[in-house]
Amino acid sequence: MRKLRKHGVSAILDYAAEDDVTAKPPTAAANLTQAPTQEDFQAGLDSGTTPTPMVRYKVSARLYDYESEKQCDRHVETFLKAVDTAAGLPGQGFAAIKVTALGNPTLLERCSKALQQVRGLFKRFDTDGSGSIDKQEFLAAYHTVFPEDSAEARDKAFAHFDSASQDGQVDYVEWCGGLRLSHLPGVAASIQQAYTQDEIDSGWLGQLDEVCLTAEEVELVDAMTARLDRIVARAVEKGVKLMVDAEHTYFQPAIDHVTLHMMKLYNKDGRATIYNTYQTYLVDAESRVRDDLQRSRNQGFTFAAKLVRGAYMSLERVRAEQYGYPSPIWPDIQATHACYDKCMEFLVDEVAEGRAEVMVASHNEASIQKCVSLMSARGLVPGQVPIYFGQLLGMADHLTFTLGKAGFPAFKYVPYGLVPEVVPYLLRRAQENVSIMQGTKADMALLTAELSCRMGLKRRTAKA
């Protein structure tokens, strides 16, 4: 890292610990009516995807592995050390974290399914198709879910969702911003108390009931959030910026949810501490960035984003094909490039207005040049505005060092950890560069050299 600083380049410390639902599927209780077979699990393992039979079971039959909770607590200590180290480096310190290292991955998938289901209710409640839910529409839908609640409770619930604009209308951004996972056990209890099982199973209430978290799961979510909060608080104390990495799409809604909650708590007074990551090879990337920007305006916090193209493309496509839903990935590389550059352009505009910060994490020379041109056209001086550039250690060095020498805040992502943790991380970035950026032979040679260094096969030579 000291060598990097000689070239005007700083380091982003990235502990390469993450987990997936295939690693340790939770144990099913004995009263399940349909137990997953060995073939179910093997199919998931072979494809690199979730063994979904587990995910479909009733929540009441789920047991979580509390040993993994202890491991998550240990990961917190590692991330805190990364923050402390980043604080001691020259210039602006950065560290990166993965939420799958802080919470049970099966729980994260459960939370993501719940959030997607509840967000999907927006269209159902917007009965006139106006794009917003008025109070009459809200109260009618609320009464369906909570028929025993008082008029005062219903008015209070509507005021909660309408708190940003207070205009008697709840738009989609307000709806998503008002969601609380902690409310879901009460939703399930109300549905089960007010309706027969046949009534529940025959309509959308059954779909909602199925995804509601249990009180136990809410406690685990709270524990995960507390771990993240502890790390963010240390980052604020040390003046370090913290980037939450993007992961698989079946985790991402939960990751976005908890990260935006932390932004609201800590990204204050025009300065951001915590950044969310957006993968622009996803078809919904632009709409998610715009929605989250609007949420930051509604709730009065500084938005901060790391833009990447993406690192799980092959897995996402295989999983979509296997389970019969549309691929979340753009169909071609040109669409991915266009999405990246469009998001980058309007985020630079937000930075110019003092409403956002952005890390342009790309090995694509055209995108880097475009960002530099955008900054120049808007009179944004490198180093005086929160626009940062990042590349992985051992890749696109010609971009990083050129930016650093020209006075732009340039960073190298430095993954660290045990060899079994770091090598898969680097291999995914190799795949990203082949699939997304049609990486050059020179960059692939650099990556091969970096892998050799990590595995102790040869020493890394200093860059000129």
PDB file of all heavy atoms in Angstrom, residues 428-450:
ATOM      1  N   ARG A 428     -13.559 -14.610  -9.836  1.00  0.00           N
ATOM      2  CA  ARG A 428     -14.801 -13.991 -10.287  1.00  0.00           C
ATOM      3  C   ARG A 428     -14.509 -12.699 -11.042  1.00  0.00           C
ATOM      4  O   ARG A 428     -15.164 -12.363 -12.014  1.00  0.00           O
ATOM      5  CB  ARG A 428     -15.731 -13.697  -9.097  1.00  0.00           C
ATOM      6  CG  ARG A 428     -16.515 -14.891  -8.638  1.00  0.00           C
ATOM      7  CD  ARG A 428     -17.695 -14.458  -7.792  1.00  0.00           C
ATOM      8  NE  ARG A 428     -17.294 -13.677  -6.640  1.00  0.00           N
ATOM      9  CZ  ARG A 428     -16.864 -14.202  -5.495  1.00  0.00           C
ATOM     10  NH1 ARG A 428     -16.759 -15.503  -5.362  1.00  0.00           N
ATOM     11  NH2 ARG A 428     -16.528 -13.422  -4.488  1.00  0.00           N
ATOM     12  N   ARG A 429     -13.505 -11.926 -10.574  1.00  0.00           N
ATOM     13  CA  ARG A 429     -13.141 -10.698 -11.272  1.00  0.00           C
ATOM     14  C   ARG A 429     -12.517 -11.011 -12.623  1.00  0.00           C
ATOM     15  O   ARG A 429     -12.679 -10.259 -13.591  1.00  0.00           O
ATOM     16  CB  ARG A 429     -12.185  -9.858 -10.430  1.00  0.00           C
ATOM     17  CG  ARG A 429     -12.908  -8.851  -9.550  1.00  0.00           C
ATOM     18  CD  ARG A 429     -13.723  -9.525  -8.479  1.00  0.00           C
ATOM     19  NE  ARG A 429     -14.954  -8.824  -8.154  1.00  0.00           N
ATOM     20  CZ  ARG A 429     -15.859  -9.304  -7.316  1.00  0.00           C
ATOM     21  NH1 ARG A 429     -15.679 -10.475  -6.741  1.00  0.00           N
ATOM     22  NH2 ARG A 429     -16.954  -8.635  -7.074  1.00  0.00           N
ATOM     23  N   ALA A 430     -11.808 -12.126 -12.732  1.00  0.00           N
ATOM     24  CA  ALA A 430     -11.284 -12.543 -14.033  1.00  0.00           C
ATOM     25  C   ALA A 430     -12.428 -12.836 -14.986  1.00  0.00           C
ATOM     26  O   ALA A 430     -12.427 -12.413 -16.143  1.00  0.00           O
ATOM     27  CB  ALA A 430     -10.409 -13.784 -13.867  1.00  0.00           C
ATOM     28  N   GLN A 431     -13.433 -13.557 -14.487  1.00  0.00           N
ATOM     29  CA  GLN A 431     -14.605 -13.860 -15.307  1.00  0.00           C
ATOM     30  C   GLN A 431     -15.328 -12.583 -15.702  1.00  0.00           C
ATOM     31  O   GLN A 431     -15.785 -12.433 -16.833  1.00  0.00           O
ATOM     32  CB  GLN A 431     -15.550 -14.786 -14.547  1.00  0.00           C
ATOM     33  CG  GLN A 431     -16.780 -15.182 -15.350  1.00  0.00           C
ATOM     34  CD  GLN A 431     -17.745 -16.012 -14.527  1.00  0.00           C
ATOM     35  OE1 GLN A 431     -18.135 -15.630 -13.429  1.00  0.00           O
ATOM     36  NE2 GLN A 431     -18.133 -17.154 -15.050  1.00  0.00           N
ATOM     37  N   GLU A 432     -15.439 -11.645 -14.762  1.00  0.00           N
ATOM     38  CA  GLU A 432     -16.094 -10.367 -15.051  1.00  0.00           C
ATOM     39  C   GLU A 432     -15.397  -9.664 -16.209  1.00  0.00           C
ATOM     40  O   GLU A 432     -16.026  -9.120 -17.100  1.00  0.00           O
ATOM     41  CB  GLU A 432     -16.052  -9.484 -13.804  1.00  0.00           C
ATOM     42  CG  GLU A 432     -16.567  -8.077 -14.012  1.00  0.00           C
ATOM     43  CD  GLU A 432     -16.358  -7.216 -12.777  1.00  0.00           C
ATOM     44  OE1 GLU A 432     -15.955  -7.762 -11.734  1.00  0.00           O
ATOM     45  OE2 GLU A 432     -16.589  -6.012 -12.860  1.00  0.00           O
ATOM     46  N   ASN A 433     -14.070  -9.691 -16.211  1.00  0.00           N
ATOM     47  CA  ASN A 433     -13.342  -8.982 -17.252  1.00  0.00           C
ATOM     48  C   ASN A 433     -13.431  -9.679 -18.594  1.00  0.00           C
ATOM     49  O   ASN A 433     -13.413  -9.032 -19.628  1.00  0.00           O
ATOM     50  CB  ASN A 433     -11.877  -8.806 -16.834  1.00  0.00           C
ATOM     51  CG  ASN A 433     -11.713  -7.633 -15.893  1.00  0.00           C
ATOM     52  OD1 ASN A 433     -11.453  -6.537 -16.328  1.00  0.00           O
ATOM     53  ND2 ASN A 433     -11.909  -7.845 -14.602  1.00  0.00           N
ATOM     54  N   VAL A 434     -13.559 -10.991 -18.596  1.00  0.00           N
ATOM     55  CA  VAL A 434     -13.738 -11.703 -19.851  1.00  0.00           C
ATOM     56  C   VAL A 434     -15.146 -11.496 -20.380  1.00  0.00           C
ATOM     57  O   VAL A 434     -15.358 -11.169 -21.544  1.00  0.00           O
ATOM     58  CB  VAL A 434     -13.457 -13.213 -19.662  1.00  0.00           C
ATOM     59  CG1 VAL A 434     -13.857 -13.982 -20.924  1.00  0.00           C
ATOM     60  CG2 VAL A 434     -11.990 -13.451 -19.350  1.00  0.00           C
ATOM     61  N   SER A 435     -16.147 -11.654 -19.505  1.00  0.00           N
ATOM     62  CA  SER A 435     -17.542 -11.628 -19.944  1.00  0.00           C
ATOM     63  C   SER A 435     -18.062 -10.217 -20.171  1.00  0.00           C
ATOM     64  O   SER A 435     -18.816  -9.975 -21.102  1.00  0.00           O
ATOM     65  CB  SER A 435     -18.415 -12.322 -18.894  1.00  0.00           C
ATOM     66  OG  SER A 435     -17.986 -13.637 -18.684  1.00  0.00           O
ATOM     67  N   ILE A 436     -17.675  -9.279 -19.309  1.00  0.00           N
ATOM     68  CA  ILE A 436     -18.240  -7.937 -19.355  1.00  0.00           C
ATOM     69  C   ILE A 436     -17.419  -6.979 -20.196  1.00  0.00           C
ATOM     70  O   ILE A 436     -17.936  -6.193 -20.951  1.00  0.00           O
ATOM     71  CB  ILE A 436     -18.380  -7.381 -17.925  1.00  0.00           C
ATOM     72  CG1 ILE A 436     -19.379  -8.216 -17.149  1.00  0.00           C
ATOM     73  CG2 ILE A 436     -18.809  -5.942 -17.933  1.00  0.00           C
ATOM     74  CD1 ILE A 436     -20.796  -8.111 -17.649  1.00  0.00           C
ATOM     75  N   MET A 437     -16.104  -7.052 -20.063  1.00  0.00           N
ATOM     76  CA  MET A 437     -15.276  -6.029 -20.688  1.00  0.00           C
ATOM     77  C   MET A 437     -14.402  -6.559 -21.810  1.00  0.00           C
ATOM     78  O   MET A 437     -13.593  -5.828 -22.355  1.00  0.00           O
ATOM     79  CB  MET A 437     -14.408  -5.354 -19.627  1.00  0.00           C
ATOM     80  CG  MET A 437     -15.200  -4.600 -18.606  1.00  0.00           C
ATOM     81  SD  MET A 437     -14.175  -3.951 -17.296  1.00  0.00           S
ATOM     82  CE  MET A 437     -13.520  -5.449 -16.603  1.00  0.00           C
ATOM     83  N   GLN A 438     -14.529  -7.852 -22.144  1.00  0.00           N
ATOM     84  CA  GLN A 438     -13.702  -8.437 -23.171  1.00  0.00           C
ATOM     85  C   GLN A 438     -12.253  -8.071 -22.903  1.00  0.00           C
ATOM     86  O   GLN A 438     -11.566  -7.458 -23.714  1.00  0.00           O
ATOM     87  CB  GLN A 438     -14.152  -7.967 -24.559  1.00  0.00           C
ATOM     88  CG  GLN A 438     -15.602  -8.349 -24.860  1.00  0.00           C
ATOM     89  CD  GLN A 438     -16.110  -7.772 -26.151  1.00  0.00           C
ATOM     90  OE1 GLN A 438     -15.609  -6.751 -26.613  1.00  0.00           O
ATOM     91  NE2 GLN A 438     -17.096  -8.402 -26.746  1.00  0.00           N
ATOM     92  N   GLY A 439     -11.799  -8.433 -21.685  1.00  0.00           N
ATOM     93  CA  GLY A 439     -10.512  -7.998 -21.165  1.00  0.00           C
ATOM     94  C   GLY A 439      -9.348  -8.295 -22.094  1.00  0.00           C
ATOM     95  O   GLY A 439      -9.320  -9.276 -22.814  1.00  0.00           O
ATOM     96  N   THR A 440      -8.354  -7.446 -22.054  1.00  0.00           N
ATOM     97  CA  THR A 440      -7.201  -7.576 -22.920  1.00  0.00           C
ATOM     98  C   THR A 440      -6.273  -8.657 -22.405  1.00  0.00           C
ATOM     99  O   THR A 440      -6.319  -9.060 -21.239  1.00  0.00           O
ATOM    100  CB  THR A 440      -6.426  -6.245 -22.953  1.00  0.00           C
ATOM    101  OG1 THR A 440      -5.922  -5.990 -21.643  1.00  0.00           O
ATOM    102  CG2 THR A 440      -7.330  -5.106 -23.397  1.00  0.00           C
ATOM    103  N   LYS A 441      -5.402  -9.119 -23.281  1.00  0.00           N
ATOM    104  CA  LYS A 441      -4.422 -10.119 -22.875  1.00  0.00           C
ATOM    105  C   LYS A 441      -3.508  -9.557 -21.792  1.00  0.00           C
ATOM    106  O   LYS A 441      -3.082 -10.276 -20.887  1.00  0.00           O
ATOM    107  CB  LYS A 441      -3.595 -10.554 -24.084  1.00  0.00           C
ATOM    108  CG  LYS A 441      -4.388 -11.372 -25.106  1.00  0.00           C
ATOM    109  CD  LYS A 441      -3.496 -11.804 -26.261  1.00  0.00           C
ATOM    110  CE  LYS A 441      -4.276 -12.633 -27.274  1.00  0.00           C
ATOM    111  NZ  LYS A 441      -3.412 -13.048 -28.415  1.00  0.00           N
ATOM    112  N   ALA A 442      -3.216  -8.263 -21.891  1.00  0.00           N
ATOM    113  CA  ALA A 442      -2.332  -7.661 -20.890  1.00  0.00           C
ATOM    114  C   ALA A 442      -2.954  -7.713 -19.508  1.00  0.00           C
ATOM    115  O   ALA A 442      -2.290  -8.059 -18.529  1.00  0.00           O
ATOM    116  CB  ALA A 442      -2.030  -6.209 -21.276  1.00  0.00           C
ATOM    117  N   ASP A 443      -4.257  -7.369 -19.398  1.00  0.00           N
ATOM    118  CA  ASP A 443      -4.920  -7.412 -18.097  1.00  0.00           C
ATOM    119  C   ASP A 443      -5.022  -8.826 -17.575  1.00  0.00           C
ATOM    120  O   ASP A 443      -4.904  -9.071 -16.378  1.00  0.00           O
ATOM    121  CB  ASP A 443      -6.314  -6.788 -18.193  1.00  0.00           C
ATOM    122  CG  ASP A 443      -6.309  -5.310 -17.849  1.00  0.00           C
ATOM    123  OD1 ASP A 443      -5.241  -4.813 -17.450  1.00  0.00           O
ATOM    124  OD2 ASP A 443      -7.355  -4.665 -17.989  1.00  0.00           O
ATOM    125  N   MET A 444      -5.290  -9.781 -18.456  1.00  0.00           N
ATOM    126  CA  MET A 444      -5.365 -11.165 -18.004  1.00  0.00           C
ATOM    127  C   MET A 444      -4.003 -11.651 -17.527  1.00  0.00           C
ATOM    128  O   MET A 444      -3.902 -12.421 -16.572  1.00  0.00           O
ATOM    129  CB  MET A 444      -5.896 -12.064 -19.130  1.00  0.00           C
ATOM    130  CG  MET A 444      -7.349 -11.779 -19.504  1.00  0.00           C
ATOM    131  SD  MET A 444      -8.457 -11.800 -18.065  1.00  0.00           S
ATOM    132  CE  MET A 444      -8.286 -13.513 -17.574  1.00  0.00           C
ATOM    133  N   ALA A 445      -2.941 -11.199 -18.169  1.00  0.00           N
ATOM    134  CA  ALA A 445      -1.607 -11.566 -17.708  1.00  0.00           C
ATOM    135  C   ALA A 445      -1.336 -10.970 -16.331  1.00  0.00           C
ATOM    136  O   ALA A 445      -0.743 -11.622 -15.456  1.00  0.00           O
ATOM    137  CB  ALA A 445      -0.558 -11.077 -18.717  1.00  0.00           C
ATOM    138  N   LEU A 446      -1.804  -9.719 -16.123  1.00  0.00           N
ATOM    139  CA  LEU A 446      -1.641  -9.093 -14.813  1.00  0.00           C
ATOM    140  C   LEU A 446      -2.407  -9.847 -13.741  1.00  0.00           C
ATOM    141  O   LEU A 446      -1.922 -10.038 -12.620  1.00  0.00           O
ATOM    142  CB  LEU A 446      -2.108  -7.631 -14.870  1.00  0.00           C
ATOM    143  CG  LEU A 446      -1.196  -6.649 -15.606  1.00  0.00           C
ATOM    144  CD1 LEU A 446      -1.919  -5.329 -15.822  1.00  0.00           C
ATOM    145  CD2 LEU A 446       0.103  -6.445 -14.852  1.00  0.00           C
ATOM    146  N   LEU A 447      -3.621 -10.285 -14.067  1.00  0.00           N
ATOM    147  CA  LEU A 447      -4.413 -11.024 -13.101  1.00  0.00           C
ATOM    148  C   LEU A 447      -3.766 -12.364 -12.778  1.00  0.00           C
ATOM    149  O   LEU A 447      -3.724 -12.793 -11.628  1.00  0.00           O
ATOM    150  CB  LEU A 447      -5.832 -11.238 -13.613  1.00  0.00           C
ATOM    151  CG  LEU A 447      -6.759 -11.991 -12.659  1.00  0.00           C
ATOM    152  CD1 LEU A 447      -6.936 -11.208 -11.362  1.00  0.00           C
ATOM    153  CD2 LEU A 447      -8.101 -12.259 -13.295  1.00  0.00           C
ATOM    154  N   THR A 448      -3.242 -13.036 -13.808  1.00  0.00           N
ATOM    155  CA  THR A 448      -2.548 -14.308 -13.573  1.00  0.00           C
ATOM    156  C   THR A 448      -1.365 -14.096 -12.640  1.00  0.00           C
ATOM    157  O   THR A 448      -1.124 -14.889 -11.719  1.00  0.00           O
ATOM    158  CB  THR A 448      -2.070 -14.892 -14.907  1.00  0.00           C
ATOM    159  OG1 THR A 448      -3.201 -15.105 -15.750  1.00  0.00           O
ATOM    160  CG2 THR A 448      -1.347 -16.213 -14.695  1.00  0.00           C
ATOM    161  N   ALA A 449      -0.629 -13.023 -12.871  1.00  0.00           N
ATOM    162  CA  ALA A 449       0.501 -12.716 -11.995  1.00  0.00           C
ATOM    163  C   ALA A 449       0.042 -12.449 -10.575  1.00  0.00           C
ATOM    164  O   ALA A 449       0.677 -12.868  -9.598  1.00  0.00           O
ATOM    165  CB  ALA A 449       1.274 -11.516 -12.543  1.00  0.00           C
ATOM    166  N   GLU A 450      -1.107 -11.730 -10.429  1.00  0.00           N
ATOM    167  CA  GLU A 450      -1.627 -11.431  -9.099  1.00  0.00           C
ATOM    168  C   GLU A 450      -2.030 -12.705  -8.369  1.00  0.00           C
ATOM    169  O   GLU A 450      -1.745 -12.889  -7.176  1.00  0.00           O
ATOM    170  CB  GLU A 450      -2.815 -10.480  -9.207  1.00  0.00           C
ATOM    171  CG  GLU A 450      -3.373 -10.010  -7.869  1.00  0.00           C
ATOM    172  CD  GLU A 450      -2.364  -9.215  -7.060  1.00  0.00           C
ATOM    173  OE1 GLU A 450      -1.476  -8.576  -7.661  1.00  0.00           O
ATOM    174  OE2 GLU A 450      -2.453  -9.249  -5.832  1.00  0.00           O
TER     175      GLU A 450
END
